Amino acid sequence: MKPPPFRYHDPRTVEEALGLLAEHGDEARLLAGGQSLVPLLNLRRVRPRVLIDLNRVEGLDGVDAGAGVVRTGALARAVGVERAPAVASALPVLPEALLHVAYPQVRTRTTIGGNVAHADPAAELPAVLAAVGGDVRLRSAGGQRTLGWSAFFSGRHRTACRPDEMVVAVDFPVAEGFAYTFSELTPKLGSFAIVGACVGLSRSGDEVTGARIALCGVADTPVRLQAAEQRLTGGAVDAAALEDVRALVAGAIDPPGDLHAPGGYRSHVAGVLVVRGLRRLWGAPA
Amino acid sequence: MTGPQTRVVRFAVNGRPVQVTTEVRTLVSDLLRHDLELTGTHVGCEHGACGACTVLVDGAPMRSCLMLAPQVDGRDVRTVEGLAVGGDLDALQEAFRSEHGLQCGFCTPGILMTLTGEREAGRTVEDALAALPGHLCRCTGYVNVRAAVRRAWSQLEGS
């Protein structure tokens, strides 16, 4: 239950960190908030030769909520994003979802970049990123690129981030007219989600003009439910639509079972959470 | 690699400046307990789930089992040993005593440090109660812990 030995670097600049990554490649791991990586070190599930601690790197912790996007630096702490008034007014689903990420004593360390890069199938932020159609900004010593969420998340704890690259920022676009809500089922507030759902709607009177539905906990990566989104668009969120959506959710996913919940239960819960979210956004009685 | 990598770590613990030479992989929980003999910080799960090791770093509650020794270099660390002054319990500790907010006491230091952080940050009683799921208590079932939080916060508002 103690970390295995490693060479430790705590660079002060992004360039220095990228230089170390270029030098050590996949023998190195980046340490951000450490709320997932240090448990893995303590349990000796990972044994990196080199640990590059980003916590003293300058300029990676900004949170900017202007110009149609909430851009969080990779090292922005969850607790800071969750309590930032500008984020709450631009994209309230972000603090709403962050309240489900572990515990307040963990979110003082949790970083947005680390949470997304860890790519846990049950993690909330990747589902929010999928729902809003967000991007992940990467840098390496050789350059930079931006990946859409679906290109970034490639599997269970797997991303398209190369060994010489690091996440430097995460962009959550703010779409005009969209309202979102996030909910999850968990054995205890702060535990890993069994299933989580981020649902967004835009409307014009009694007509849905856009729908966005993303789930976590049902597959190796976050999932967007396009068939259900299309069924909702152009009509009202009425009983018939919700019944169809429930069936379309179940039809679109095939969640694995594990000791926390069988797959069929996850699938059922996904439908319940999506329907509840739609009702909440639409304003119908629950 | 030639032997374990070490660092000199200088920081403040409960207001007292300290300097420790330690392996870079040393967890802050072990730095406090083994090197500084501050055993009030308890170690439960060592992977962030139980909360027993929670301390304040620059005023914010954090899991000391998930931080490496070099990460507290230059920081202000506070542990449960810093709460009582001259043997007198502080108001929060008194509230736990009055409400019987502990039984075996294993989880208590972590809970007290979380709540101290919440109080000093001016957070509400609802915020403080919402932070309790971050601590595993296997004795009291939280009822008395919650009563202690309410008592401490009502005293704060009344003072």
Side-chain angles (χ1 to χ4, degrees), chain A residues 121-144:
Chain A
E124 293 83 358
L125 281 189
V128 174
L129 198 66
V132 302
D135 299 316
V136 181
R137 303 172 79 86
L138 304 169
R139 268 187 71 180
S140 66
Q144 55 188 341

Side-chain angles (χ1 to χ4, degrees), chain A:
Chain A
M1 295 301 290
K2 311 292 179 191
F6 45 76
R7 290 314 280 186
Y8 176 82
H9 299 274
D10 50 351
R12 299 303 195 265
T13 65
V14 175
E15 290 71 21
E16 207 183 327
L18 293 174
L20 287 161
L21 263 187
E23 183 185 344
H24 298 289
D26 56 12
E27 293 200 314
R29 290 295 283 259
L30 293 169
L31 175 63
Q35 305 303 286
S36 299
L37 180 56
V38 181
L40 292 172
L41 289 168
N42 288 356
L43 295 163
R44 303 205 172 193
R45 301 260 191 90
V46 295
R47 293 170 171 270
R49 258 175 48 80
V50 174
L51 200 62
I52 305 169
D53 183 352
L54 300 175
N55 284 281
R56 292 183 196 269
V57 171
E58 299 282 340
L60 277 181
D61 60 351
V63 179
D64 181 16
V69 64
V70 174
R71 172 168 297 173
T72 60
L75 263 283
R77 307 286 171 184
V79 79
V81 175
E82 168 191 329
R83 294 176 190 170
V87 175
S89 78
L91 198 60
V93 72
L94 206 42
E96 186 187 359
L98 282 169
L99 289 176
H100 295 274
V101 178
Y103 312 108
Q105 305 89 334
V106 168
R107 296 198 298 273
T108 51
R109 296 292 292 168
T110 298
T111 65
I112 304 301
N115 183 287
V116 166
H118 186 56
D120 193 287
E124 293 83 358
L125 281 189
V128 174
L129 198 66
V132 302
D135 299 316
V136 181
R137 303 172 79 86
L138 304 169
R139 268 187 71 180
S140 66
Q144 55 188 341
R145 60 183 180 140
T146 300
L147 292 179
W149 70 272
S150 64
F152 180 75
F153 296 109
S154 57
R156 193 179 190 81
H157 296 138
R158 292 278 178 273
T159 72
C161 187
R162 298 190 311 255
D164 66 329
E165 282 180 316
M166 66 184 265
V167 174
V168 289
V170 183
D171 286 352
F172 298 86
V174 180
E176 193 69 30
F178 263 89
Y180 296 89
T181 187
F182 183 91
S183 62
E184 71 179 37
L185 180 76
T186 175
K188 173 190 141 191
L189 180 63
S191 297
F192 283 103
I194 289 173
V195 178
C198 187
V199 180
L201 279 184
S202 69
R203 67 193 288 177
S204 172
D206 277 339
E207 188 187 310
V208 173
T209 54
R212 295 168 173 187
I213 303 172
L215 299 173
C216 61
V218 299
D220 287 348
T221 64
V223 173
R224 270 286 285 271
L225 301 174
Q226 275 139 350
E229 294 172 3
Q230 281 160 16
R231 168 64 184 82
L232 287 161
T233 306
V237 181
D238 53 20
L242 291 175
E243 212 39 60
D244 287 351
V245 164
R246 199 190 294 270
L248 288 167
V249 170
I253 57 176
D254 183 17
D258 60 21
L259 81 167
H260 301 293
Y265 178 69
R266 281 199 159 88
S267 187
H268 172 76
V269 168
V272 170
L273 293 179
V274 168
V275 165
R276 281 185 192 164
L278 289 168
R279 282 192 173 132
R280 193 176 310 146
L281 292 171
W282 193 250

